[in-house]
Amino acid sequence: MTETARVWLVVALTLLGLFFSFVSMVGVLRLPDVYSRAHTASQADTLGAGFGLAAVALTVGLAGAGFKSVLLLFFIFVTNPTAAHAIARAAFEEGIVPWIEGDDRR
Amino acid sequence: MADTDPPGGGAGPDADATVDPDEASEGDASTESAAPGAVIVPVEPTSTLRSTVAHVAETAAADGAPAIHLVEIASWRNGDPESDERAAAAERVLERVTAWATADLDDSEAPGAADVEVVTTVLGADDYLFGADDYVRVLAEYAEANGADRVVLDPEYTPVGNTTLLQPLEFALSNTPLSVETAPVDRPTRRERFRTEATTGRFVALFGLSLAFYLLLGDPTYWFDVVTGVASAAVVSITLSRVSLDSNPAFPRTPMRIVRGLVYVPVLLFEIVKANLVVARVILDPRLPIEPTMNRMRVIVGRGLPLMTLANSITLTPGTLTVRARDSDLYVHSLVPWAREGLFDGSLERWTRFVYYGRRSARLPTPRERDDVAILQGADATEELPIAAADGGAIDGERDAADDDSAVDAGDASDEGENDPEVTDR
């Protein structure tokens, strides 16, 4: 009984992770400029990878590799914003003006 | 705000500006030699402080300056943990320096020596001071209030700890009416700075952390993993203990920060999920438009790790993206107004303060109430976007496009330039 519940929970978490990765992909295609795309690209890392790793941890059990997936998540949470910030800052220093409503650039 | 902007801004105009005030200040010094103003000396316990004070006392006595102001610029903020101890340490330094200056003036042969007053003070303890701009602002305000026109810098003066501040400080000072001089004293050949000694505390902390991490990934009960773990941890802590930690681990503080950090994790996760759902909805529903703007927020957290924590938390939360951290100003891009309002409510700022300074420090007005926020774009804009290429005025967009094109052209040209010789070589 608990085994079935665990399997369904894993499926649910995987689907959630897929959903947020999908949203992130749509966002990268749909949004207008480098800054807004950086927002949504980091979304795939936070919740997409987050739910995916939660599913992994639940599958393999917290005792062994599951603990490592938690560590993995921790490192993603440290490096992901740093990378997003580096990209946005590089764009900013290049003098790229962020897109606002009414801007014709696409 | 305006006075702190120029040194960090576009390189071109500032580079020009540095030349002029230098000449101007030399002119000032020669014209004002009739009635010289007081001298300001920022002090820190460095190896050249003694000779700097001697130099200042000598020149002040010779020029007939009315006073020597020995100022310690606070790198702490009153009310934060440890501020009392650091203020007391600063007072001790000031007492010692005053004794030196008075003794030097007494020994001086110059006729004006007896009239030189020695004043000490601690500046900027009510605020977080970040870079050279903040220090210069504080110094300039103090100079104006006390009729000082000259700043003499100790060549080893580095108030921010392990970053070199002297050059940016001189640079920023050259944009003020104050004249600047670095005391011509002998510097010791020793390159290491006074206060970045590798302490055992840092070494042990880093060693323990790397060993724990190694054994977490390996098997703590297997002797081989323990031996290799100790070896790797030793290599890591020997090479990196000066770099990785910028303050010593302290007993109640460091564990408390870790515990409060663990409290913060679920809060941050909740914020991330909430913001993710809002942003996902905006992205998936074409009827909901995005309204991105760049914003500025002056945050009240300490330099270094706390600022990094806050900036990264802001970036992790979808809808807000830290683009630039200029001293205590964060430039944050927001995707939708909801995210911007959440940012200005400052809950992440309060949580960061909670993690690093405890619950009492977390109570402070929101950035919006403090009036520390600005929208830099769109209909509600209250400030101009500090982009170098956009400084010109109304035709920014076209200018940008033109600049970009020319930059691309230049890139192409240089590529060709690099390729051509190869062709001719062959």
Side-chain angles (χ1 to χ4, degrees):
Chain A
M1 183 60 208
T2 48
E3 190 56 28
T4 344
R6 197 174 68 131
V7 169
W8 280 111
L9 201 55
V10 168
V11 169
L13 286 173
T14 313
L15 286 178
L16 272 175
L18 275 175
F19 169 74
F20 282 108
S21 302
F22 173 76
V23 169
S24 161
M25 182 203 70
V26 172
V28 169
L29 293 177
R30 185 175 104 93
L31 294 177
D33 72 340
V34 59
Y35 299 101
S36 41
R37 282 177 175 156
H39 281 284
T40 177
S42 60
Q43 231 185 334
D45 280 345
T46 51
L47 282 199
F51 282 119
L53 285 170
V56 169
L58 208 58
T59 311
V60 297
L62 259 183
F67 190 75
K68 289 179 191 168
S69 70
V70 174
L71 274 181
L72 214 51
L73 190 64
F74 169 76
F75 286 118
I76 287 178
F77 270 47
V78 174
T79 51
N80 158 45
T82 314
H85 167 71
I87 292 171
R89 179 174 170 154
F92 193 68
E93 297 201 342
E94 276 294 297
I96 298 175
V97 178
W99 183 92
I100 51 169
E101 246 188 322
D103 196 330
D104 290 339
R105 280 183 299 161
R106 286 303 291 188
Chain B
M1 277 323 306
D3 54 352
T4 63
D5 277 340
D14 288 336
D16 293 339
T18 51
V19 180
D20 298 333
D22 269 354
E23 286 170 7
S25 61
E26 275 168 30
D28 287 350
S30 59
T31 50
E32 282 171 17
S33 58
V39 189
I40 296 184
V41 189
V43 296
E44 270 293 289
T46 67
S47 51
T48 48
L49 182 60
R50 181 68 192 90
S51 15
T52 304
V53 169
H55 165 79
V56 171
E58 191 184 318
T59 48
D63 298 352
I68 302 174
H69 293 266
L70 302 161
V71 300
E72 176 117 12
I73 305 181
S75 55
W76 66 91
R77 184 172 180 269
N78 281 346
D80 280 354
E82 293 186 12
S83 60
D84 292 346
E85 292 145 50
R86 299 183 63 181
E91 286 299 335
R92 282 197 297 277
V93 171
L94 286 177
E95 272 170 33
R96 201 166 37 149
V97 177
T98 314
W100 288 341
T102 327
D104 287 343
L105 288 171
D106 286 347
D107 292 347
S108 173
E109 315 259 301
D115 302 329
V116 182
E117 194 188 349
V118 179
V119 187
T120 63
T121 185
V122 175
L123 291 180
D126 299 328
D127 215 347
Y128 284 113
L129 302 176
F130 279 78
D133 298 344
D134 287 346
Y135 281 84
V136 167
R137 177 171 49 79
V138 166
L139 275 179
E141 281 165 11
Y142 181 77
E144 199 174 321
N146 291 279
D149 63 358
R150 213 145 41 103
V151 176
V152 178
L153 292 172
D154 176 352
E156 293 273 312
Y157 183 66
T158 49
V160 191
N162 32 24
T163 50
T164 311
L165 193 81
L166 195 64
Q167 272 183 333
L169 197 62
E170 280 181 283
F171 178 78
L173 275 168
S174 65
N175 286 328
T176 65
L178 297 167
S179 84
V180 200
E181 179 200 350
T182 303
V185 296
D186 288 335
R187 307 174 70 165
T189 45
R190 178 174 66 87
R191 283 309 310 151
E192 288 163 30
R193 284 205 191 78
F194 207 57
R195 46 151 84 170
T196 52
E197 72 273 58
T199 63
T200 17
R202 285 179 213 189
F203 184 85
V204 168
L206 196 60
F207 183 87
L209 205 62
S210 356
L211 184 62
F213 182 63
Y214 192 93
L215 292 180
L216 265 179
L217 297 182
D219 178 2
T221 56
Y222 180 35
W223 65 269
F224 181 79
D225 279 4
V226 176
V227 172
T228 48
V230 169
S232 342
V235 171
V236 168
S237 40
I238 287 169
T239 50
L240 298 178
S241 62
R242 280 162 175 245
V243 184
S244 331
L245 304 171
D246 61 358
S247 62
N248 287 323
F251 170 60
R253 191 189 60 181
T254 310
M256 279 313 287
R257 281 186 173 179
I258 292 172
V259 168
R260 291 191 298 244
L262 290 177
V263 175
Y264 177 49
V265 168
V267 176
L268 182 63
L269 282 178
F270 175 72
E271 289 289 323
I272 288 174
V273 171
K274 196 171 66 174
N276 245 305
L277 290 172
V278 172
V279 171
R281 183 143 177 267
V282 170
I283 286 174
L284 291 182
D285 190 343
R287 284 167 306 178
L288 296 175
I290 59 163
E291 288 173 44
T293 51
M294 191 67 85
N295 315 286
R296 185 185 60 75
M297 177 162 89
R298 193 172 176 98
V299 294
I300 307 186
V301 295
R303 192 167 31 81
L305 209 54
L307 188 67
M308 191 210 76
T309 309
L310 177 57
N312 272 3
S313 303
I314 288 174
T315 308
L316 266 178
T317 317
T320 48
L321 173 69
T322 313
V323 172
R324 215 39 247 258
R326 182 179 287 167
D327 298 343
S328 56
D329 279 326
L330 291 182
Y331 289 86
V332 181
H333 188 257
S334 66
L335 199 58
V336 286
W338 176 84
R340 185 179 66 212
E341 295 311 311
L343 177 76
F344 288 175
D345 285 338
S347 85
L348 288 178
E349 184 192 29
R350 279 198 298 279
W351 274 102
T352 308
R353 283 184 68 83
F354 166 74
V355 170
Y356 285 95
Y357 310 116
R359 203 193 310 170
R360 213 149 40 91
S361 310
R363 282 192 220 110
L364 81 170
T366 69
R368 197 190 284 108
E369 286 163 4
R370 298 198 307 263
D371 204 18
D372 275 348
V373 297
I375 302 174
L376 308 179
Q377 277 188 308
D380 305 327
T382 49
E383 243 176 61
E384 273 194 44
L385 198 63
I387 281 189
D391 278 344
I395 46 168
D396 292 337
E398 287 173 40
R399 272 250 317 256
D400 282 354
D403 285 352
D404 287 349
D405 286 350
S406 62
V408 170
D409 289 347
D412 288 346
S414 66
D415 280 349
E416 282 162 22
E418 280 165 17
N419 288 339
D420 284 344
E422 284 176 26
V423 174
T424 48
D425 282 348
R426 286 181 205 135

